[in-house]
Amino acid sequence: MTPELPALVVRGVGLLLPVLAVAALCLWRAPRRREVAAMIVASGWALLTLLPLNLIAQWEGWWSFHARGAVWQGVPVDLLLAWVLLWGALPALMLRFLPVPLVTAVLVWLDLLLMPLAEPVVVLGPLWLLGEFLGATLCLIPALLLAYWTRRGQLVHARMWAQAVLALGLMVLLPVYVLATVPTGFTWRWSASPEALTAGAQLLALVCLPGLAAAREFATVGGGTPLPHDPPARLVTSGPYAYVRNPMQLTVTLLYLVLGLLHPPLLVGVPVALAYGAGFASWHEGAQLRASFGESWDAYRAGVRAWLPRWRPWPGRSGGTLYVAADCDPCRGVGAWLAARGPTALTLRPAAEHPEVLYRLTYENAEGVRWSGVAALARAMEHLHLGWAMTGWALSLPVLRHFAQLCGDAFGAGPRPSKSATGRPGERPKPDAPVMSHPFA
């Protein structure tokens, strides 16, 4: 037996076992749509976290790899993919018959068993258990929780934010890092000037706004996520979708265009994103939307372009109502400012007319979803034009929104009851009256 054979056996068996396990579970029972979504997000999280884990493990001496061929940054690509399956797709399928804690225990035990057996390809250091602990904490358990929530349709906002992190990591950060570490004949042209980096970061943040706002719209209004196997239950025509049909794909395309100014090889992402959006996504997702929503989808498709945004929102978009307190000077000023600009599909009403007691400026859409305070103002801005809509999407970001709300409260726009229990505006409600409080939305 040649010296290379044991390494080849370790790498071959290491990849074959998880592939066979995933294939066997899929053949035993074909995965349903939500299960496919769970496998995708769990595998994506495993890949995004296992890659830096293995790089750090080599730097810290937790373990190292001794392999030739199909190796990137010292990590055998086949073993990395095997680990992704073992901690991504496989546990998502194991949730069919085992709870999350038991799946975690089984996979950690299996990993503790296999790591020492992977020699001579994997050479363990004295602190390899520390790396194993960090891997289980940061890679396996979050992947399992994402798979569990996706299978059961729970915590849609957490799933949406996780998918946003995955999109940023796998579609932007990973390609940038790969190209930065592989000789390509190109050099970084924009990394020398701090001013240029600042301008580039601001441009990237601006480009990301529509895509992030669209993902949040899917979760908040549609009850789904951007993943095609975990879509919204309702046709979403509000938010960025009132301006353009493909805000997320347009965002990705513009991201690669901006990044191409930093590193020309990244420009290849522009035609790839365009081809995917105009080709597969338009054909596959368009057919699904037409089958699900029929005439509503056809009307929306006729009124909103796929790639070129409208300046004013589509008149057929989901309408909204903004409730403005009559005894709040800042609120009345906001209402007058909005009314003077001719908002599309937005109704302005006194807060006292709402059947409940409102405490802040309140926006309510046609589906009954409600926003209050600064978040309500941000929603109302979407009914004006694309410029104000972009401002509203930025204003609705979590940290910025909370800071703006604190500033607004400090300048007199703090919470106050819109009416008393008897219906008179401006009076304090009685202690036993039904009151809905509105914390930061």
Side-chain angles (χ1 to χ4, degrees):
M1 180 178 292
T2 65
E4 291 294 325
L5 190 56
L8 293 176
V9 170
V10 169
R11 296 178 69 174
V13 173
L15 180 59
L16 185 62
L17 288 180
V19 168
L20 290 178
V22 171
L25 288 174
C26 289
L27 290 174
W28 171 50
R29 191 176 74 199
R32 299 178 181 177
R33 186 176 67 175
R34 281 202 173 276
E35 203 166 37
V36 172
M39 294 169 64
I40 292 173
V41 295
S43 298
W45 186 270
L47 175 60
L48 187 63
T49 53
L50 282 171
L51 184 55
L53 174 69
N54 279 282
L55 295 179
I56 294 172
Q58 294 180 93
W59 297 334
E60 297 295 332
W62 297 337
W63 57 76
S64 60
F65 299 97
H66 295 258
R68 287 189 290 180
V71 174
W72 178 75
Q73 295 291 291
V75 181
V77 176
D78 44 7
L79 291 186
L80 177 64
L81 294 177
W83 211 345
V84 168
L85 290 175
L86 187 65
W87 279 13
L90 183 59
L93 292 171
M94 292 172 65
L95 290 174
R96 291 173 174 178
F97 43 82
L98 293 176
V100 171
L102 191 53
V103 173
T104 304
V106 169
L107 290 176
V108 169
W109 171 81
L110 186 62
D111 210 60
L112 291 173
L113 177 67
L114 294 178
M115 287 285 280
L117 296 178
E119 289 192 2
V121 178
V122 181
V123 178
L124 302 179
L127 297 178
W128 74 277
L129 288 177
L130 174 60
E132 186 74 21
F133 171 77
L134 291 176
T137 304
L138 302 177
C139 308
L140 175 60
I141 294 176
L144 258 173
L145 291 175
L146 279 175
Y148 177 79
W149 295 334
T150 302
R151 284 175 56 91
R152 300 180 66 88
Q154 297 176 344
L155 298 179
V156 65
H157 288 88
R159 286 160 32 219
M160 180 277 297
W161 281 109
Q163 289 183 25
V165 171
L166 289 176
L168 177 65
L170 297 178
M171 300 176 66
V172 179
L173 299 181
L174 182 58
V176 168
Y177 183 75
V178 169
L179 288 175
T181 54
V182 174
T184 61
F186 292 92
T187 58
W188 292 91
R189 300 186 308 170
W190 206 0
S191 58
S193 170
E195 294 79 7
L197 283 176
T198 301
Q202 292 174 352
L203 186 57
L204 286 173
L206 183 66
V207 164
C208 286
L209 272 180
L212 184 57
R216 295 180 65 193
E217 200 74 10
F218 266 17
T220 303
V221 176
T225 70
L227 193 65
H229 296 283
D230 186 22
R234 293 183 291 272
L235 179 64
V236 178
T237 60
S238 54
Y241 290 95
Y243 293 90
V244 64
R245 284 208 315 271
N246 299 326
M248 296 185 215
Q249 295 154 16
L250 179 60
T251 292
V252 173
T253 303
L254 293 176
L255 267 175
Y256 281 119
L257 186 60
V258 174
L259 288 170
L261 300 176
L262 293 169
H263 197 43
L266 289 171
L267 286 172
V268 72
V270 175
V272 171
L274 284 172
Y276 171 81
F280 175 78
S282 178
W283 165 72
H284 178 67
E285 296 176 14
Q288 287 185 332
L289 289 166
R290 184 173 291 106
S292 300
F293 304 110
E295 294 181 358
S296 298
W297 164 250
D298 290 332
Y300 171 69
R301 188 173 184 273
V304 181
R305 293 181 290 264
W307 294 95
L308 182 62
R310 300 169 56 101
W311 178 244
R312 296 277 295 185
W314 180 50
R317 59 154 289 167
S318 300
T321 302
L322 185 69
Y323 291 92
V324 182
D327 62 337
C328 171
D329 291 337
C331 300
R332 286 203 314 272
V334 167
W337 179 82
L338 289 167
R341 281 153 180 79
T344 301
L346 177 67
T347 302
L348 297 171
R349 296 181 60 184
E353 293 183 5
H354 197 280
E356 300 174 6
V357 179
L358 304 178
Y359 282 80
R360 295 187 186 275
L361 189 72
T362 300
Y363 177 96
E364 198 167 81
N365 69 3
E367 290 79 21
V369 184
R370 189 180 301 175
W371 293 260
S372 64
V374 169
L377 174 60
R379 294 295 304 190
M381 286 179 175
E382 297 174 2
H383 293 261
L384 300 179
H385 58 63
L386 184 58
W388 283 116
M390 292 281 288
T391 305
W393 300 333
L395 192 60
S396 64
L397 293 174
V399 175
L400 185 58
R401 182 181 76 239
H402 290 82
F403 176 75
Q405 186 67 70
L406 288 173
C407 293
D409 291 351
F411 285 98
R416 68 188 73 193
S418 60
K419 60 185 176 182
S420 69
T422 59
R424 288 192 290 269
E427 295 184 7
R428 290 280 179 185
K430 296 179 180 179
D432 58 346
V435 175
M436 174 173 286
S437 66
H438 291 267
F440 298 152

